[in-house]
Amino acid sequence: MKMIRNRFGNLSRVSAQLQRHVQQMSTNAAAAPEEGAVINEFRTAVTNPGEHSALQVAKFYTIPAEQKKQIFAGGGLPKQYEQQIKTFTEACLMVRNPALELLQYIKATDLTKPVVRYVLYGENGTGKTLSMAHVLHYGALNDFLLVHVPWAPNWMKRPKEASNAAGQEGMIDLPFDAAAWLVHFKAQNSQLLQRLQLKTSKEYVWSKRESTPAGSSLIELVEHGIARIKYASETTAALIAELKQLSTAGQCKVMVAIDGFNAFFHPVTRIFSDNKQLVTPDRITLTQPFLDITNYDWTNGVCILSVDKIAMTEGHMDSHMPRYLLGQEGFEHLDPFVPVLVENYTDKEFHSYINYYLDRHWINKTPQGFEEQLKFMSNKNPYSLMQLVRAL
Amino acid sequence: MSAGLTRLWERLPLKKHAAQSRIRVFSNQDQPEIEDDEEFRVLSLRTVKQQFQRRQQVRRDPITPPRTTRMAVDQDWTAVWPGPRSFHPASVPLPLRQGFTERGAAAPSKFANAELMKIPNFLHLTPPAIRQQCEAIKRFCTPWPKGLETEAKWQRHFPIEVTTTDYCQSLPTIRNPEARKVTVSLKLSDLRFDSHSRDKFLRLVGDRYNKETDILTIVTDRCPQKKQNYDYALYLLTACYHESFVTEPWEETKSEADMEEYLFERNQSKISAEGILNWNAKEGAPKESPSKSYANSVEQLINEGENEYNLGKYKEEVKKMLNIV
């Protein structure tokens, strides 16, 4: 029942006409579990990722719409998966082994020790981002401040605007992207920030007239960055430095999640300076804070990073292994890290996913052997499967 | 001109007859003229060669029967077949057959059989022949030195192996240019190196070193004499060995990027790992250093390249080091 209520809550935000239409659909779809009063075998009622264990492997759990909006409103789920969520009117994630492994590590972590860096890697479309989303959900529910970059290569590949940094010579600011990230940070953490009442440790002077005094709350800092887009990059750097200090002091826990982390070390970007020279990531002001927070010199946190072939550019996509994608510099920055492999579906997961699609009436025609056929055509790759069964 | 002559000749039939008969008188004096009346004589203006000349018969010696028929049963075979030689049917008293014919027919006999001549034979290496030769050279042999009974022993005492070749040939000169070549080979593990000198030595010798067998081979042929080449090979070996211990001033400028292999000891990874292990350690407390197995796994990951196995090993070592379960 809770699930259905959530779905209605979600729908109330959609336009009235669509609402009526979809409501009809969802009530029809919801009829099945109500009748049997038992949950389908491919679903699990455990919606708290902290309670997930090997029992729930290959089963779907639903992220409540409120939480989904809080965590993933600014990105974090792949676009096509987002569309699928909208179509199915429920945000379902499959409990899979890489995420479980990470959760187990995080739960057992000694937070007084320097942060441990976990690196998700795997072929294209195997579910690195969704594994990260699963862990993010855990972090949000367990009072971790989320420092989440939904897709780092966006900054290097398609920045909204690039301007020369005011303070530092030869550096490039991405003010709009930095502000967008601050908005994302605020959306994810505003409740927790209000509860924790974190204060800045020193005064930040932005210009002659503007400054953030020491002892002001972090929310004020973030809001200043959002309001004064010109200083968004500097605000980001300040915010991250503050977070490192605060968490080392034990005032908060921080979960860093950066998708496509190898983009910070890939020298090819699409940003050009005034004299039409290519700007390497180390000359972007946003890079340094995120490299700082993935360093091992602070405590009370976890780092979940993912390395991805797609974060690279043409000619650099030969392997999905972390050392290749990070390069020497990146490897030295992260070493020692814990690599976590994300693989294609197992048979059980694949079967479960097909059942889910059937349950959502997404697969309508079920001729003899269609599951085997899909299995061979997609090679059990999650993204390939989604593409194969997508709408035209 | 000739037509006029013929006409004149025809007009004088009598003279012509007289001339012919006169010739016959002089040439065939002692032969009776039998055919004179029976056959019409042909006028022959040119002297024609005798048409049917009998071909001269080639005189052949009568074929002697093969030697094998006259061989005694207890003959000395080493005298019949003393050295390597291609097969000869008349000398080998064996009913050999070799070759392919049509189905059902027997294989061709040994006479005029190219198949038997093509294949190498060991008729000169019969056990009695070998025994005989060993007996003959025995008086030149010295007893085997004591203490060199096994291969391991003599390899320890004589690590260097020198290979030369002598040539026997039937030419006006007994010299063969190939005989000057000298090959010196030794196991590199018999030489003592430190890591720098070993690296430098391998660079100096280049492809003369075989990594799989650990054997260094120096071939010299630039001097005219075998002795000179041997001396030169040993000089090369000595010079390379001692040169490898010299550290030139420019070798200090070798940076991490120039290193041929990744070493954990001199890299950032070690600093990071030590930083994590000694986090919040008190001043003066003994420094904890990362385990050997972790260092090995990092080195293996970088040097051998990434694969699931190496990465899995690295993961296990990191988990062990950071106490992650």
Side-chain angles (χ1 to χ4, degrees), chain B residues 16-112:
Chain B
K16 185 175 85 181
H17 188 254
Q20 277 197 339
S21 60
R22 204 182 307 138
I23 292 165
R24 193 171 297 129
V25 170
F26 288 119
S27 61
N28 300 335
Q29 265 181 340
D30 50 354
Q31 274 185 17
E33 288 183 56
I34 306 161
E35 296 166 328
D36 245 13
D37 304 323
E38 291 169 9
E39 207 174 306
F40 185 78
R41 267 181 255 158
V42 183
L43 174 64
S44 172
L45 288 180
R46 284 177 274 175
T47 54
V48 180
K49 270 191 181 174
Q50 203 176 355
Q51 279 190 331
F52 301 104
Q53 212 170 16
R54 283 200 67 188
R55 200 178 281 170
Q56 207 177 357
Q57 280 286 333
V58 182
R59 279 200 51 165
R60 288 179 193 274
D61 291 331
I63 300 168
T64 51
R67 192 149 67 104
T68 51
T69 55
R70 284 180 284 124
M71 284 178 176
V73 180
D74 56 347
Q75 68 170 339
D76 180 14
W77 174 249
T78 54
V80 178
W81 203 278
R85 186 193 170 193
S86 57
F87 182 78
H88 192 269
S91 306
V92 182
L94 300 171
L96 298 175
R97 285 178 174 276
Q98 169 88 28
F100 176 78
T101 48
E102 62 206 49
R103 279 180 84 102
S109 79
K110 62 179 176 176
F111 290 99

Side-chain angles (χ1 to χ4, degrees), chain A residues 114-372:
Chain A
V115 284
V116 181
R117 279 75 56 88
Y118 303 97
V119 174
L120 289 163
Y121 71 102
E123 279 291 349
N124 287 347
T126 47
K128 296 179 284 295
T129 307
L130 287 179
S131 296
M132 189 180 270
H134 191 171
V135 180
L136 270 175
H137 188 203
Y138 168 84
L141 294 185
N142 286 277
D143 293 348
F144 278 96
L145 278 174
L146 303 183
V147 176
H148 176 217
V149 182
W151 186 236
N154 275 345
W155 294 342
M156 286 73 188
K157 288 191 175 178
R158 47 188 89 81
K160 295 278 181 297
E161 187 195 344
S163 60
N164 287 327
Q168 299 130 297
E169 188 66 32
M171 300 289 273
I172 296 287
D173 257 350
L174 307 175
F176 281 92
D177 295 278
W181 184 79
L182 286 175
V183 171
H184 182 54
F185 177 82
K186 191 184 158 195
Q188 284 186 328
N189 301 304
S190 56
Q191 292 171 0
L192 190 60
L193 281 175
Q194 261 161 6
R195 184 139 51 85
L196 290 174
Q197 289 300 320
L198 300 172
K199 303 280 186 244
T200 54
S201 61
K202 62 174 184 180
E203 186 183 13
Y204 291 96
V205 181
W206 311 112
S207 65
K208 271 182 191 169
R209 291 182 201 84
E210 289 171 284
S211 69
T212 307
S216 55
S217 72
L218 283 192
I219 295 186
E220 285 170 33
L221 187 70
V222 172
E223 273 166 357
H224 174 265
I226 297 168
R228 297 284 289 128
I229 285 180
K230 191 184 172 191
Y231 303 115
S233 295
E234 287 170 60
T235 314
T236 309
L239 172 69
I240 283 176
E242 286 295 333
L243 283 177
K244 261 178 94 169
Q245 277 185 16
L246 288 167
S247 68
T248 309
Q251 293 189 37
C252 61
K253 295 189 289 182
V254 176
M255 176 181 277
V256 182
I258 301 177
D259 207 354
F261 183 69
N262 49 330
F264 286 121
F265 297 101
H266 185 50
V268 183
T269 62
R270 292 200 195 133
I271 307 172
F272 294 92
S273 61
D274 292 340
N275 47 5
K276 307 290 178 224
Q277 269 184 330
L278 190 142
V279 175
T280 48
D282 55 318
R283 283 177 58 203
I284 300 169
T285 44
L286 270 183
T287 304
Q288 198 50 45
F290 288 100
L291 290 191
D292 282 342
I293 205 161
T294 51
N295 208 344
Y296 63 86
D297 57 354
W298 57 288
T299 59
N300 247 345
V302 284
C303 282
I304 296 116
L305 314 167
S306 83
V307 290
D308 207 311
K309 260 202 260 189
I310 317 168
M312 313 292 272
T313 48
E314 282 290 310
H316 301 269
M317 299 184 180
D318 298 332
S319 164
H320 66 274
M321 298 298 228
R323 174 69 189 8
Y324 172 81
L325 291 175
L326 288 166
Q328 193 203 342
E329 201 189 336
F331 181 82
E332 281 181 356
H333 177 75
L334 286 188
D335 187 63
F337 62 86
V338 181
V340 178
L341 175 62
V342 186
E343 281 177 305
N344 286 340
Y345 286 142
T346 60
D347 279 340
K348 194 181 168 193
E349 285 168 342
F350 185 84
H351 184 67
S352 173
Y353 222 103
I354 292 288
N355 276 341
Y356 179 66
Y357 278 136
L358 288 173
D359 174 69
R360 296 285 95 192
H361 301 295
W362 190 239
I363 299 179
N364 281 322
K365 293 176 183 167
T366 54
Q368 185 83 41
F370 79 101
E371 193 178 328
E372 283 296 303

Side-chain angles (χ1 to χ4, degrees), chain A residues 101 105 321 323-324 335 339, chain B residues 269 294 306 314-315 319:
Chain A
E101 188 185 341
Y105 292 154
M321 298 298 228
R323 174 69 189 8
Y324 172 81
D335 187 63
Chain B
S269 293
Y294 168 68
E306 274 178 310
Y314 171 76
K315 181 179 178 180
K319 279 163 69 179

